[in-house]
Amino acid sequence: MQIEGEITGIIFRNESNSYTVAKLLYNGIETVVVGKIYTIAVGERLKLTGEFSSTRYGNQFNIESYEIVYPTSVNGIKKFLGSGLIKGVGAVTAKQIVDKFGRETLDIIEFQPNKLTEIPRISEKKALAIHDNVVGLKQVQSIIIHLGQFDISVNMALKIYEVFKEETLKVIQTNPFSLVEHIDGIGFATADKIASKIGIDENSEYRIRAGVLHCLKEASEKNGHTFLPYDTLINNVAKLLNLDEVENNNLFENVINTLAMEKIIAKFFHKYTTIVALSKFNYYEHSVADKLALLCISQEEEYFNIDDEINHFEIINKITFHNEQIEAIKTAINSGVCVITGGPGTGKTTIIKCILSILDKQNKQTALLAPTGRASKRMSLATGKEASTIHRALAMDFATKNFIFNEKNPLPYNAIIIDEFSMVDISLAYNLLKAITRDCKVIIVGDKDQLPSVGAGNVLADIIESEVVKVAYLTQIFRQEENSLIITNAHKINQGEMPEIDNNSKDFFFENKIELEEIKNSIVSLVTKRLPQFLNISPTQIQVLAPLKIGICGIENLNRELQEKINPASMFKPELEVGKNVFRQGDKVMQTTNNYNIEWRKNNISMNQNDINITNFHNNIQGQGVYNGDIGYIREINRQNGETVVEFEDGRECVYPRTEISQLSLAYAITIHKSQGSEFDVVIIPSIAGPSLILNRNLIYTAVTRAKKMVVIVGEKKNLKRMISNKFLLKRNTLLKDYIKESFEKAKILFGE
């Protein structure tokens, strides 16, 4: 049967699968309707197909399918326009428009949008924007409903629509695999599921093409590779498609050659092996290599005697540099590009401060950069000079999704110091270096023994191993408080030795637990009771860093347990269920992807004057962009439309629409990989058994070096020892090291060396 009515309230909503319990005004009676509704807002009018059933909660209508019926009543139109679905139209503007045009409002918007300018504060530009949003919404909603049958989320459906517009349904019916090429976040499995439902042959060139691209993307995203050997790629594609490798070899080869001719991928012979790479990564590695060689060669003859400046810095700061520190400072000042690498306590920050003071005396315009907001904030506090994230310094043009600063519009600096460079992937390195002039000094600071970047590439390691760029190694430990073991133990771990865990220090402790349930319970107790009482701090100042996502001691389970203790459910706290997560007002959360479009606002405080994405207004600062790894707290959740306000640790406040909340994850516990570039007062680490590909020395070393004041490891000693003994680090397939050597030789010839 069919019923039709207006949505008057949303009782429950799961954004991950669109399962909804809502109230519908049907024949003057509020009726509970249950089922998948892909987009919904109070005030919408729906025609539902399904059946009534009787449950312990009363009668409800079970939805089998539905369509959107646009409202015709004045009140319904007003609610629809003010529901938040139409960008730029809030409740006040909706009332003004409907009061003016009544039941003809939607026709006016669609066919005569210029009339909207009769409303105060609606310009011609805004009128056209409202028109575009309403017309687009009709198309989008029909597409969302169609894609919903393939379990494609609303957020992903919107991304697909942004690319293909009105051609979306046609594209999906003819070649759903094109989604893999054009839409970030659509994997091969999703496209293959659609293709199977609409009857596309398993030997289709479309399918093989998508399989090749998927395998190359997966290799970069999961393992950091910038290329795969040809034979490895063929083997991976055959397994993915469940096709015989030998029988289909010619077909695979033809598809790869076609992609190469289209310059989507690069296929070439290198060191006795045919390799295949996504064209962008091969281009990035070539470009980074060329720029590094140019920077090195063009400033090679520059030399400054800075002994007096170093002596003056030592006197002012009452310190005496070690010889290797002095050598690092001289190398940085007298090189076009240099790397300063060392573990915790080796004086990297003090060296940076000295370099800054010398560059200031040379009247150099210097920028301090880091990959993450937390790392840049730490850099600012340590040096007393404003630092910025690399993304923010490059300034995103949100219309084109490209950085404003580039080779045609370079950054206005004579010197750039980049900290935590081990986190920089090949894409970010490319965008930064192409925005640097050839006379700009680049000083790279990082710990070569930290985990490599999450993204593709192995940039810091490749630069060091190229033996072309000058490298200063710091090995002497200088920063070490009495009875402190964090730094000492970090270096022991890095050298393959067991740390001191006799619990006699003031900042490094080990709690022996055998069973996973015991380890989990101990961690929860430490975070919620024991350490807060012992240190007189809030549980939110304690960060759990776990090696794995799943399992009893994985971050997913630990977050649920910690949330229940730290921020339990309450009728006074609104919450949202999104996939496996329940987000609740007051929760500690982390942004898990770069979102360049989301707007933020914060109180007016001192900011980098070169940050052109930020505009002052009254007593606030506004801007755009939240980045992977940013941590904050949920301050408010709108029960009706699901909008969620998050305040990040640096004061930025963002409003997340319901469709973007999946970008957040609970952050009482985070993976060690996500902790890179950050520091926390207190760190708790579970020591558990697991795959040797993941649980290695680099991982535990990275976790321990994230702590400023205390480390607590909970688990079995044998598992800790196994991690420290495990030197295995999955070798990344990259070409940057070789390209740097080649580019340096070419540059020497070009410059007559």
Side-chain angles (χ1 to χ4, degrees):
M1 67 175 296
Q2 284 189 335
I3 64 172
E4 183 178 320
E6 182 183 299
I7 296 294
T8 57
I10 301 168
I11 300 169
F12 173 80
R13 172 86 173 158
N14 186 330
E15 288 298 335
S16 63
N17 59 18
S18 299
Y19 181 80
T20 305
V21 180
K23 290 185 286 187
L24 183 88
L25 190 62
Y26 166 59
N27 287 341
I29 300 171
E30 255 188 355
T31 302
V32 174
V33 296
V34 178
K36 284 190 174 184
I37 305 178
Y38 302 106
T39 62
I40 188 169
V42 173
E44 272 191 315
R45 192 168 186 84
L46 302 179
K47 182 184 288 184
L48 308 175
T49 300
E51 296 294 335
F52 278 103
S53 66
S54 179
T55 72
R56 59 177 176 166
Y57 302 109
N59 285 336
Q60 65 181 35
F61 188 83
N62 299 309
I63 303 166
E64 294 174 3
S65 64
Y66 75 97
E67 60 182 278
I68 296 167
V69 179
Y70 289 92
T72 55
S73 69
V74 168
N75 193 45
I77 295 170
K78 195 179 295 183
K79 284 183 180 179
F80 168 69
L81 287 180
S83 65
L85 289 173
I86 312 300
K87 190 175 180 180
V89 179
V92 174
T93 304
K95 183 177 185 305
Q96 290 176 326
I97 295 173
V98 178
D99 286 350
K100 175 75 175 178
F101 300 112
R103 297 178 66 177
E104 296 181 0
T105 294
L106 294 180
D107 286 338
I108 294 290
I109 290 173
E110 188 166 357
F111 302 110
Q112 296 176 286
N114 59 303
K115 285 192 173 184
L116 294 177
T117 58
E118 297 173 19
I119 307 295
R121 297 181 182 176
I122 295 185
S123 63
E124 186 175 333
K125 182 179 179 181
K126 185 170 182 178
L128 289 173
I130 294 171
H131 160 80
D132 290 344
N133 282 322
V134 169
V135 172
L137 182 64
K138 288 185 177 182
Q139 291 179 334
V140 167
Q141 288 182 320
S142 64
I143 287 168
I144 287 171
I145 292 170
H146 181 80
L147 293 180
Q149 66 182 302
F150 303 116
D151 296 324
I152 293 176
S153 69
V154 174
N155 197 34
M156 189 56 68
L158 292 172
K159 287 176 72 174
I160 295 170
Y161 177 77
E162 283 178 10
V163 174
F164 297 110
K165 301 297 183 185
E166 62 275 3
E167 295 292 309
T168 299
L169 294 181
K170 180 181 176 182
V171 166
I172 288 168
Q173 289 296 329
T174 56
N175 178 20
F177 294 107
S178 61
L179 300 179
V180 179
E181 289 187 48
H182 299 288
I183 311 295
D184 286 338
I186 289 283
F188 176 83
T190 300
D192 205 32
K193 183 178 180 181
I194 298 171
S196 177
K197 282 190 175 182
I198 63 178
I200 290 180
D201 191 271
E202 66 173 11
N203 290 319
S204 162
E205 287 194 19
Y206 288 146
R207 185 169 185 257
I208 294 170
R209 179 186 177 102
V212 169
L213 293 176
H214 171 81
C215 287
L216 289 172
K217 284 182 181 179
E218 188 175 57
S220 68
E221 292 170 358
K222 288 190 174 181
N223 297 316
H225 300 314
T226 59
F227 74 88
L228 285 177
Y230 179 83
D231 291 342
T232 301
L233 175 62
I234 293 292
N235 183 257
N236 291 351
V237 172
K239 286 180 180 177
L240 174 72
L241 304 181
N242 197 25
L243 294 174
D244 185 88
E245 182 178 340
V246 177
E247 287 182 11
N248 294 281
N249 189 65
N250 289 338
L251 193 53
F252 293 160
E253 186 175 3
N254 290 338
V255 168
I256 289 172
N257 289 338
T258 300
L259 285 166
M261 284 189 290
E262 294 174 7
K263 297 186 177 180
I264 294 171
I265 65 175
K267 177 189 174 189
F268 53 95
F269 198 70
H270 182 81
K271 287 189 174 180
Y272 314 110
T273 305
T274 299
I275 65 175
V276 184
L278 290 170
S279 291
K280 66 175 182 179
F281 289 136
N282 195 47
Y283 177 70
Y284 291 163
E285 289 190 309
H286 268 300
S287 297
V288 168
D290 288 344
K291 190 57 174 281
L292 288 172
L294 179 63
L295 289 167
C296 287
I297 294 290
S298 62
Q299 300 177 58
E300 203 169 51
E301 296 180 3
E302 190 173 71
Y303 181 80
F304 299 97
N305 186 327
I306 55 172
D307 289 338
D308 290 342
E309 286 85 350
I310 293 173
N311 289 336
H312 181 69
F313 184 88
E314 288 177 317
I315 292 168
I316 294 296
N317 291 276
K318 298 178 181 179
I319 61 171
T320 301
F321 283 122
H322 187 273
N323 287 339
E324 68 180 16
Q325 293 178 305
I326 293 173
E327 188 60 33
I329 296 166
K330 289 182 176 181
T331 301
I333 296 297
N334 290 301
S335 304
V337 183
C338 85
V339 174
I340 299 172
T341 183
T346 55
K348 294 192 295 293
T349 300
T350 307
I351 289 171
I352 291 173
K353 290 169 74 173
C354 183
I355 292 169
L356 279 171
S357 72
I358 295 170
L359 291 172
D360 285 344
K361 288 177 182 178
Q362 294 179 344
N363 295 316
K364 301 279 191 184
Q365 286 292 108
T366 306
L368 293 180
L369 305 180
T372 67
R374 294 178 70 89
S376 66
K377 182 179 179 181
R378 183 157 53 88
M379 202 178 185
S380 295
L381 293 172
T383 63
K385 182 180 173 68
E386 194 70 48
S388 168
T389 63
I390 298 172
H391 287 93
R392 192 164 292 159
L394 292 173
M396 176 64 68
D397 181 337
F398 298 101
T400 64
K401 300 294 190 296
N402 294 317
F403 289 115
I404 292 171
F405 289 105
N406 49 44
E407 65 272 31
K408 295 180 180 178
N409 180 36
L411 289 163
Y413 302 114
N414 311 115
I416 291 177
I417 302 173
I418 313 138
D419 199 10
E420 295 286 356
F421 199 82
S422 62
M423 298 178 65
V424 175
D425 61 24
I426 190 62
S427 174
L428 190 55
Y430 161 75
N431 281 293
L432 175 60
L433 287 172
K434 78 173 182 177
I436 293 173
T437 58
R438 61 185 291 177
D439 61 345
C440 178
K441 291 187 181 299
V442 177
I443 300 161
I444 293 168
V445 183
D447 186 344
K448 65 181 178 61
D449 297 313
Q450 295 277 1
L451 292 169
S453 60
V454 174
N458 201 16
V459 183
L460 179 60
D462 282 349
I463 291 173
I464 292 173
E465 291 172 16
S466 72
E467 298 181 345
V468 169
V469 175
K470 292 180 181 177
V471 181
Y473 295 93
L474 304 176
T475 59
Q476 295 294 317
I477 301 174
F478 302 100
R479 176 169 57 87
Q480 181 67 61
E481 296 179 20
E482 187 178 357
N483 295 325
S484 172
L485 280 181
I486 293 177
I487 292 173
T488 300
N489 278 343
H491 284 271
K492 280 180 175 289
I493 289 169
N494 198 31
Q495 292 161 14
E497 301 174 16
M498 278 291 284
E500 293 182 36
I501 51 175
D502 56 12
N503 293 341
N504 288 326
S505 80
K506 65 179 182 180
D507 61 4
F508 202 103
F509 301 96
F510 183 87
E511 187 163 88
N512 190 52
K513 298 291 180 184
I514 306 299
E515 301 297 329
L516 289 173
E517 197 69 28
E518 283 186 312
I519 296 171
K520 182 260 294 180
N521 290 339
S522 182
I523 289 172
V524 172
S525 174
L526 282 164
V527 174
T528 59
K529 293 180 181 178
R530 293 155 59 192
L531 287 179
Q533 291 172 2
F534 178 66
L535 298 170
N536 193 27
I537 60 174
S538 164
T540 56
Q541 291 175 262
I542 302 167
Q543 187 61 59
V544 178
L545 302 182
L548 304 175
K549 288 185 178 180
I550 60 174
I552 294 173
C553 292
I555 63 164
E556 291 178 358
N557 189 53
L558 286 171
N559 270 317
R560 284 191 290 268
E561 296 277 345
L562 290 167
Q563 181 191 45
E564 185 179 334
K565 297 289 185 182
I566 296 171
N567 190 33
S570 164
M571 62 181 294
F572 303 107
K573 294 178 190 174
E575 61 181 47
L576 281 175
E577 185 173 340
V578 182
K580 296 178 181 178
N581 288 322
V582 172
F583 292 110
R584 191 172 295 137
Q585 184 176 302
D587 275 336
K588 184 179 182 181
V589 292
M590 173 183 276
Q591 175 75 16
T592 59
T593 62
N594 289 335
N595 184 333
Y596 301 110
N597 296 323
I598 194 166
E599 296 178 354
W600 53 259
R601 176 182 298 194
K602 71 175 178 178
N603 291 332
N604 190 2
I605 58 174
S606 174
M607 293 291 292
N608 188 339
Q609 293 180 350
N610 294 308
D611 190 341
I612 65 172
N613 283 332
I614 297 174
T615 55
N616 283 310
F617 70 104
H618 303 302
N619 294 320
N620 293 311
I621 291 174
Q622 281 183 312
Q624 286 178 290
V626 179
Y627 303 104
N628 190 353
D630 288 351
I631 291 177
Y633 296 87
I634 295 176
R635 298 304 184 202
E636 185 181 337
I637 296 176
N638 186 309
R639 293 181 191 269
Q640 290 299 314
N641 61 23
E643 282 189 344
T644 299
V645 179
V646 176
E647 182 182 352
F648 289 95
E649 290 179 330
D650 61 358
R652 287 171 300 157
E653 194 173 89
C654 297
V655 179
Y656 284 76
R658 183 189 288 267
T659 54
E660 293 186 9
I661 296 170
S662 59
Q663 295 178 11
L664 298 172
S665 67
L666 293 174
Y668 302 105
I670 63 175
T671 62
I672 296 169
H673 279 89
K674 286 288 187 183
S675 74
Q676 286 178 271
S678 300
E679 276 191 342
F680 308 96
D681 286 341
V682 181
V683 164
I684 301 176
I685 308 163
S687 174
I688 57 176
S692 59
L693 289 175
I694 298 173
L695 303 183
N696 55 31
R697 184 184 301 173
N698 290 75
L699 194 74
I700 186 66
Y701 173 72
T702 299
V704 168
T705 55
R706 299 308 88 201
K708 289 192 292 184
K709 297 179 180 179
M710 183 177 290
V711 172
V712 182
I713 301 176
V714 183
E716 285 193 83
K717 289 183 182 179
K718 69 176 183 181
N719 290 327
L720 177 61
K721 186 174 183 179
R722 189 178 291 126
M723 286 184 75
I724 294 169
S725 300
N726 180 17
K727 292 178 63 176
F728 176 81
L729 191 63
L730 183 67
K731 188 181 184 311
R732 295 189 170 195
N733 295 330
T734 64
L735 293 169
L736 180 60
K737 177 178 70 174
D738 295 339
Y739 287 170
I740 291 173
K741 292 178 180 178
E742 293 170 9
S743 295
F744 192 77
E745 291 303 315
K746 291 176 186 175
K748 284 200 295 185
I749 295 170
L750 183 65
F751 282 85
E753 294 286 326

